[in-house]
Amino acid sequence: PFHTFPTGSGGQQGWDGDAVATALRETREELGLALGAERVWGLLRTVPDRRGMMVAPVVANLGPLEDVTLTPNPQEVEEVFTIPLDHLLQPENQGYTHFRAKGRYSHTLPVFLHGPYRVWGLTAIITELTLELLAPNLYRCKTRVAGNR
């Protein structure tokens, strides 16, 4: 299993050093999960959040989920759930939302469905980047911006 850690939501602190250190600290603060840097696979390309702040997604291997104990911080995390990679890759669990601005098409963002859960927004964009990396022949990108691609 892998996990993406979007840095930027809590923000990089001066003592963090880099995006990986920030992601590991945020993961410890928000989920009670202490991971070492050796678990980190790498960084995805940075993406802007809705306020324009750049977020650096960090991908890490958590190991077997049955060996992972999470202690979510209730002030930061409402709920934790997992979605298997094969579920994310099934077309019936993928969707998209078209957005308009000033009466014209502006962009399309992905949505991933899993029972009562809907992964959308920045988390869906980061999930999409991860799927493109892990399963390039099985996942078709749904993110579009007017004038691009």
Side-chain angles (χ1 to χ4, degrees), residues 25-110:
R25 178 185 53 76
E26 287 286 318
T27 301
R28 191 172 48 257
E29 290 175 3
E30 295 179 8
L31 298 175
L33 183 61
L35 291 176
E38 71 280 358
R39 293 287 192 93
V40 173
W41 285 351
L43 282 84
L44 302 176
R45 69 176 172 84
T46 58
V47 292
D49 69 8
R50 65 178 174 219
R51 294 179 301 271
M53 184 169 74
M54 296 308 288
V55 176
V58 176
V59 180
N61 182 350
L62 301 180
L65 287 179
E66 56 272 7
D67 297 340
V68 175
T69 301
L70 301 178
T71 310
N73 177 342
Q75 294 178 320
E76 304 250 8
V77 178
E78 183 175 325
E79 187 172 6
V80 175
F81 61 94
T82 62
I83 304 176
L85 181 61
D86 62 339
H87 181 88
L88 289 169
L89 291 171
Q90 295 172 13
E92 63 270 19
N93 301 321
Q94 304 168 8
Y96 55 87
T97 303
H98 296 300
F99 293 87
R100 297 175 65 84
K102 299 179 184 173
R104 301 184 68 170
Y105 167 80
S106 68
H107 61 284
T108 299
L109 294 180

Side-chain angles (χ1 to χ4, degrees), residues 5 13 18 26 32 37 53 72 76 81 115 122 127 130 138 142:
F5 306 101
Q13 304 297 326
D18 62 16
E26 287 286 318
M53 184 169 74
E76 304 250 8
F81 61 94
L122 185 59
T127 300
T130 304
L138 300 174
K142 295 189 177 20

Side-chain angles (χ1 to χ4, degrees), residues 7 12 15-17 27 40 46 55 57 68 109 124 132 134 137 140-141:
T7 65
Q12 188 170 14
W15 59 84
D16 283 339
T27 301
V40 173
T46 58
V55 176
V68 175
L109 294 180
E132 288 180 309
L134 295 178
N137 297 327
R140 186 175 150 264
C141 177

